[in-house]
Amino acid sequence: MKDIFLEEAIKEAKLGLQEGGIPIGSVIVHNNKILGKGHNRRVQEGSVILHGEMDALENAGRQKAAIYRESTLYTTLSPCPMCTGTILLYGIPKVVIGEHQTFMGEEDLLRSKGVEVIVMNDKDCIEMMTKFINNKPELWNEDIGV
């Protein structure tokens, strides 16, 4: 049985794919309640920063620092350096990652700063990203700065 919050992140990723974007989704959770959810919308919005994690945080709206320090961020893919920096900036103590086989983000940096990192190795997340990377390698490389 999958974690319900990871399932929400996967739904967001699928929504992003349906919109013609990159299938990465995220949710931020405080006290078992979703504060914000989002998906990578770089293509849809012509944005340089709207990765899934950034979109979820943006959609959560302005929160007190204490709220972030008690929250968990769920993401379908290992966080890139930009998203990792945001996680660290706001003191989010726990990150649940759908998969890191297709892309290994800054998990070691998160751990070195005391963030609890849980990697689920979710088959749906792996399959979704593998298929996307194979079908749209140029778009994927643009997203990760290659």
PDB file of all heavy atoms in Angstrom, residues 53 71-75 77-79 87 92-97 107 110 115-119:
ATOM      1  N   GLU A  53       8.585  20.773  -6.509  1.00  0.00           N
ATOM      2  CA  GLU A  53       8.698  21.179  -5.103  1.00  0.00           C
ATOM      3  C   GLU A  53       8.430  22.668  -4.945  1.00  0.00           C
ATOM      4  O   GLU A  53       7.754  23.086  -4.002  1.00  0.00           O
ATOM      5  CB  GLU A  53      10.096  20.844  -4.560  1.00  0.00           C
ATOM      6  CG  GLU A  53      10.437  19.367  -4.585  1.00  0.00           C
ATOM      7  CD  GLU A  53      11.138  18.920  -5.862  1.00  0.00           C
ATOM      8  OE1 GLU A  53      10.955  19.563  -6.927  1.00  0.00           O
ATOM      9  OE2 GLU A  53      11.864  17.916  -5.806  1.00  0.00           O
ATOM     10  N   SER A  71       6.988  20.277   8.963  1.00  0.00           N
ATOM     11  CA  SER A  71       6.352  19.730   7.763  1.00  0.00           C
ATOM     12  C   SER A  71       7.204  18.654   7.098  1.00  0.00           C
ATOM     13  O   SER A  71       8.400  18.523   7.373  1.00  0.00           O
ATOM     14  CB  SER A  71       6.077  20.851   6.756  1.00  0.00           C
ATOM     15  OG  SER A  71       5.126  21.755   7.276  1.00  0.00           O
ATOM     16  N   THR A  72       6.562  17.911   6.217  1.00  0.00           N
ATOM     17  CA  THR A  72       7.229  16.911   5.386  1.00  0.00           C
ATOM     18  C   THR A  72       6.950  17.252   3.939  1.00  0.00           C
ATOM     19  O   THR A  72       5.810  17.565   3.578  1.00  0.00           O
ATOM     20  CB  THR A  72       6.702  15.493   5.694  1.00  0.00           C
ATOM     21  OG1 THR A  72       6.955  15.186   7.073  1.00  0.00           O
ATOM     22  CG2 THR A  72       7.363  14.440   4.818  1.00  0.00           C
ATOM     23  N   LEU A  73       7.986  17.205   3.124  1.00  0.00           N
ATOM     24  CA  LEU A  73       7.835  17.431   1.699  1.00  0.00           C
ATOM     25  C   LEU A  73       7.910  16.076   0.990  1.00  0.00           C
ATOM     26  O   LEU A  73       8.840  15.309   1.223  1.00  0.00           O
ATOM     27  CB  LEU A  73       8.929  18.357   1.164  1.00  0.00           C
ATOM     28  CG  LEU A  73       8.732  18.682  -0.303  1.00  0.00           C
ATOM     29  CD1 LEU A  73       8.379  20.150  -0.470  1.00  0.00           C
ATOM     30  CD2 LEU A  73       9.950  18.342  -1.105  1.00  0.00           C
ATOM     31  N   TYR A  74       6.919  15.801   0.166  1.00  0.00           N
ATOM     32  CA  TYR A  74       6.882  14.589  -0.652  1.00  0.00           C
ATOM     33  C   TYR A  74       7.147  14.996  -2.087  1.00  0.00           C
ATOM     34  O   TYR A  74       6.569  15.973  -2.570  1.00  0.00           O
ATOM     35  CB  TYR A  74       5.501  13.924  -0.575  1.00  0.00           C
ATOM     36  CG  TYR A  74       5.185  13.324   0.765  1.00  0.00           C
ATOM     37  CD1 TYR A  74       4.806  14.118   1.838  1.00  0.00           C
ATOM     38  CD2 TYR A  74       5.267  11.947   0.967  1.00  0.00           C
ATOM     39  CE1 TYR A  74       4.525  13.579   3.082  1.00  0.00           C
ATOM     40  CE2 TYR A  74       4.985  11.398   2.204  1.00  0.00           C
ATOM     41  CZ  TYR A  74       4.605  12.217   3.251  1.00  0.00           C
ATOM     42  OH  TYR A  74       4.328  11.671   4.480  1.00  0.00           O
ATOM     43  N   THR A  75       7.998  14.262  -2.770  1.00  0.00           N
ATOM     44  CA  THR A  75       8.294  14.552  -4.160  1.00  0.00           C
ATOM     45  C   THR A  75       8.498  13.248  -4.919  1.00  0.00           C
ATOM     46  O   THR A  75       9.021  12.282  -4.358  1.00  0.00           O
ATOM     47  CB  THR A  75       9.516  15.484  -4.294  1.00  0.00           C
ATOM     48  OG1 THR A  75       9.752  15.761  -5.671  1.00  0.00           O
ATOM     49  CG2 THR A  75      10.764  14.905  -3.648  1.00  0.00           C
ATOM     50  N   LEU A  77      10.477  12.742  -7.372  1.00  0.00           N
ATOM     51  CA  LEU A  77      11.857  12.587  -7.830  1.00  0.00           C
ATOM     52  C   LEU A  77      12.812  13.301  -6.880  1.00  0.00           C
ATOM     53  O   LEU A  77      12.479  14.350  -6.318  1.00  0.00           O
ATOM     54  CB  LEU A  77      11.998  13.169  -9.248  1.00  0.00           C
ATOM     55  CG  LEU A  77      13.332  12.944  -9.950  1.00  0.00           C
ATOM     56  CD1 LEU A  77      13.558  11.456 -10.235  1.00  0.00           C
ATOM     57  CD2 LEU A  77      13.378  13.719 -11.261  1.00  0.00           C
ATOM     58  N   SER A  78      13.998  12.751  -6.740  1.00  0.00           N
ATOM     59  CA  SER A  78      15.033  13.310  -5.880  1.00  0.00           C
ATOM     60  C   SER A  78      15.238  14.801  -6.167  1.00  0.00           C
ATOM     61  O   SER A  78      15.349  15.203  -7.325  1.00  0.00           O
ATOM     62  CB  SER A  78      16.333  12.529  -6.136  1.00  0.00           C
ATOM     63  OG  SER A  78      17.323  12.874  -5.222  1.00  0.00           O
ATOM     64  N   PRO A  79      15.260  15.649  -5.134  1.00  0.00           N
ATOM     65  CA  PRO A  79      15.326  17.104  -5.334  1.00  0.00           C
ATOM     66  C   PRO A  79      16.654  17.598  -5.921  1.00  0.00           C
ATOM     67  O   PRO A  79      17.723  17.200  -5.468  1.00  0.00           O
ATOM     68  CB  PRO A  79      15.125  17.681  -3.941  1.00  0.00           C
ATOM     69  CG  PRO A  79      14.600  16.576  -3.102  1.00  0.00           C
ATOM     70  CD  PRO A  79      15.099  15.304  -3.722  1.00  0.00           C
ATOM     71  N   ILE A  87      14.401  23.660   0.536  1.00  0.00           N
ATOM     72  CA  ILE A  87      14.085  22.778   1.667  1.00  0.00           C
ATOM     73  C   ILE A  87      14.932  23.173   2.874  1.00  0.00           C
ATOM     74  O   ILE A  87      14.424  23.304   3.996  1.00  0.00           O
ATOM     75  CB  ILE A  87      14.318  21.301   1.275  1.00  0.00           C
ATOM     76  CG1 ILE A  87      13.267  20.854   0.250  1.00  0.00           C
ATOM     77  CG2 ILE A  87      14.309  20.397   2.505  1.00  0.00           C
ATOM     78  CD1 ILE A  87      13.628  19.579  -0.504  1.00  0.00           C
ATOM     79  N   ILE A  92      12.702  22.479   6.444  1.00  0.00           N
ATOM     80  CA  ILE A  92      11.807  21.310   6.347  1.00  0.00           C
ATOM     81  C   ILE A  92      12.601  20.087   6.798  1.00  0.00           C
ATOM     82  O   ILE A  92      13.643  19.774   6.219  1.00  0.00           O
ATOM     83  CB  ILE A  92      11.268  21.170   4.911  1.00  0.00           C
ATOM     84  CG1 ILE A  92      10.427  22.402   4.558  1.00  0.00           C
ATOM     85  CG2 ILE A  92      10.460  19.876   4.757  1.00  0.00           C
ATOM     86  CD1 ILE A  92      10.065  22.525   3.087  1.00  0.00           C
ATOM     87  N   PRO A  93      12.133  19.389   7.837  1.00  0.00           N
ATOM     88  CA  PRO A  93      12.946  18.343   8.451  1.00  0.00           C
ATOM     89  C   PRO A  93      12.891  16.965   7.798  1.00  0.00           C
ATOM     90  O   PRO A  93      13.717  16.111   8.102  1.00  0.00           O
ATOM     91  CB  PRO A  93      12.390  18.269   9.874  1.00  0.00           C
ATOM     92  CG  PRO A  93      10.944  18.629   9.705  1.00  0.00           C
ATOM     93  CD  PRO A  93      10.924  19.673   8.613  1.00  0.00           C
ATOM     94  N   LYS A  94      11.921  16.752   6.917  1.00  0.00           N
ATOM     95  CA  LYS A  94      11.751  15.404   6.357  1.00  0.00           C
ATOM     96  C   LYS A  94      11.331  15.503   4.898  1.00  0.00           C
ATOM     97  O   LYS A  94      10.430  16.275   4.558  1.00  0.00           O
ATOM     98  CB  LYS A  94      10.698  14.635   7.156  1.00  0.00           C
ATOM     99  CG  LYS A  94      10.475  13.209   6.717  1.00  0.00           C
ATOM    100  CD  LYS A  94       9.473  12.525   7.650  1.00  0.00           C
ATOM    101  CE  LYS A  94       9.177  11.114   7.239  1.00  0.00           C
ATOM    102  NZ  LYS A  94       8.197  10.495   8.157  1.00  0.00           N
ATOM    103  N   VAL A  95      11.984  14.696   4.050  1.00  0.00           N
ATOM    104  CA  VAL A  95      11.657  14.637   2.635  1.00  0.00           C
ATOM    105  C   VAL A  95      11.448  13.179   2.248  1.00  0.00           C
ATOM    106  O   VAL A  95      12.309  12.326   2.517  1.00  0.00           O
ATOM    107  CB  VAL A  95      12.779  15.266   1.769  1.00  0.00           C
ATOM    108  CG1 VAL A  95      12.458  15.135   0.290  1.00  0.00           C
ATOM    109  CG2 VAL A  95      13.004  16.722   2.145  1.00  0.00           C
ATOM    110  N   VAL A  96      10.306  12.905   1.649  1.00  0.00           N
ATOM    111  CA  VAL A  96       9.992  11.564   1.156  1.00  0.00           C
ATOM    112  C   VAL A  96      10.068  11.618  -0.367  1.00  0.00           C
ATOM    113  O   VAL A  96       9.377  12.419  -0.996  1.00  0.00           O
ATOM    114  CB  VAL A  96       8.597  11.090   1.625  1.00  0.00           C
ATOM    115  CG1 VAL A  96       8.271   9.720   1.047  1.00  0.00           C
ATOM    116  CG2 VAL A  96       8.529  11.074   3.156  1.00  0.00           C
ATOM    117  N   ILE A  97      10.918  10.772  -0.928  1.00  0.00           N
ATOM    118  CA  ILE A  97      11.231  10.791  -2.353  1.00  0.00           C
ATOM    119  C   ILE A  97      10.670   9.540  -3.022  1.00  0.00           C
ATOM    120  O   ILE A  97      10.943   8.423  -2.576  1.00  0.00           O
ATOM    121  CB  ILE A  97      12.763  10.861  -2.551  1.00  0.00           C
ATOM    122  CG1 ILE A  97      13.300  12.153  -1.928  1.00  0.00           C
ATOM    123  CG2 ILE A  97      13.137  10.729  -4.019  1.00  0.00           C
ATOM    124  CD1 ILE A  97      14.814  12.187  -1.796  1.00  0.00           C
ATOM    125  N   GLU A 107      20.551  14.522  -2.137  1.00  0.00           N
ATOM    126  CA  GLU A 107      20.146  13.805  -0.922  1.00  0.00           C
ATOM    127  C   GLU A 107      21.237  13.825   0.143  1.00  0.00           C
ATOM    128  O   GLU A 107      20.940  13.958   1.333  1.00  0.00           O
ATOM    129  CB  GLU A 107      19.749  12.373  -1.263  1.00  0.00           C
ATOM    130  CG  GLU A 107      18.519  12.305  -2.133  1.00  0.00           C
ATOM    131  CD  GLU A 107      18.219  10.889  -2.612  1.00  0.00           C
ATOM    132  OE1 GLU A 107      18.595   9.921  -1.919  1.00  0.00           O
ATOM    133  OE2 GLU A 107      17.595  10.771  -3.683  1.00  0.00           O
ATOM    134  N   LEU A 110      21.147  17.117   1.931  1.00  0.00           N
ATOM    135  CA  LEU A 110      20.009  17.159   2.856  1.00  0.00           C
ATOM    136  C   LEU A 110      20.348  16.398   4.137  1.00  0.00           C
ATOM    137  O   LEU A 110      20.154  16.922   5.242  1.00  0.00           O
ATOM    138  CB  LEU A 110      18.760  16.565   2.196  1.00  0.00           C
ATOM    139  CG  LEU A 110      18.103  17.411   1.114  1.00  0.00           C
ATOM    140  CD1 LEU A 110      17.053  16.599   0.372  1.00  0.00           C
ATOM    141  CD2 LEU A 110      17.494  18.684   1.687  1.00  0.00           C
ATOM    142  N   VAL A 115      18.391  16.625   7.639  1.00  0.00           N
ATOM    143  CA  VAL A 115      17.067  16.318   7.089  1.00  0.00           C
ATOM    144  C   VAL A 115      16.914  14.802   6.984  1.00  0.00           C
ATOM    145  O   VAL A 115      17.816  14.107   6.513  1.00  0.00           O
ATOM    146  CB  VAL A 115      16.886  16.974   5.699  1.00  0.00           C
ATOM    147  CG1 VAL A 115      15.554  16.580   5.077  1.00  0.00           C
ATOM    148  CG2 VAL A 115      17.006  18.488   5.814  1.00  0.00           C
ATOM    149  N   GLU A 116      15.780  14.309   7.434  1.00  0.00           N
ATOM    150  CA  GLU A 116      15.471  12.889   7.273  1.00  0.00           C
ATOM    151  C   GLU A 116      15.029  12.676   5.823  1.00  0.00           C
ATOM    152  O   GLU A 116      14.097  13.326   5.353  1.00  0.00           O
ATOM    153  CB  GLU A 116      14.349  12.465   8.227  1.00  0.00           C
ATOM    154  CG  GLU A 116      13.978  11.007   8.107  1.00  0.00           C
ATOM    155  CD  GLU A 116      12.818  10.604   9.003  1.00  0.00           C
ATOM    156  OE1 GLU A 116      12.284  11.462   9.744  1.00  0.00           O
ATOM    157  OE2 GLU A 116      12.422   9.428   8.948  1.00  0.00           O
ATOM    158  N   VAL A 117      15.717  11.788   5.121  1.00  0.00           N
ATOM    159  CA  VAL A 117      15.423  11.510   3.723  1.00  0.00           C
ATOM    160  C   VAL A 117      14.992  10.056   3.595  1.00  0.00           C
ATOM    161  O   VAL A 117      15.713   9.145   4.001  1.00  0.00           O
ATOM    162  CB  VAL A 117      16.666  11.767   2.823  1.00  0.00           C
ATOM    163  CG1 VAL A 117      16.377  11.380   1.380  1.00  0.00           C
ATOM    164  CG2 VAL A 117      17.100  13.225   2.919  1.00  0.00           C
ATOM    165  N   ILE A 118      13.805   9.860   3.035  1.00  0.00           N
ATOM    166  CA  ILE A 118      13.275   8.514   2.827  1.00  0.00           C
ATOM    167  C   ILE A 118      13.048   8.333   1.332  1.00  0.00           C
ATOM    168  O   ILE A 118      12.335   9.125   0.714  1.00  0.00           O
ATOM    169  CB  ILE A 118      11.957   8.302   3.594  1.00  0.00           C
ATOM    170  CG1 ILE A 118      12.193   8.464   5.088  1.00  0.00           C
ATOM    171  CG2 ILE A 118      11.333   6.949   3.256  1.00  0.00           C
ATOM    172  CD1 ILE A 118      10.930   8.522   5.919  1.00  0.00           C
ATOM    173  N   VAL A 119      13.668   7.301   0.762  1.00  0.00           N
ATOM    174  CA  VAL A 119      13.500   7.007  -0.663  1.00  0.00           C
ATOM    175  C   VAL A 119      12.614   5.765  -0.782  1.00  0.00           C
ATOM    176  O   VAL A 119      12.930   4.710  -0.244  1.00  0.00           O
ATOM    177  CB  VAL A 119      14.858   6.777  -1.356  1.00  0.00           C
ATOM    178  CG1 VAL A 119      14.654   6.474  -2.833  1.00  0.00           C
ATOM    179  CG2 VAL A 119      15.766   7.979  -1.171  1.00  0.00           C
TER     180      VAL A 119
END
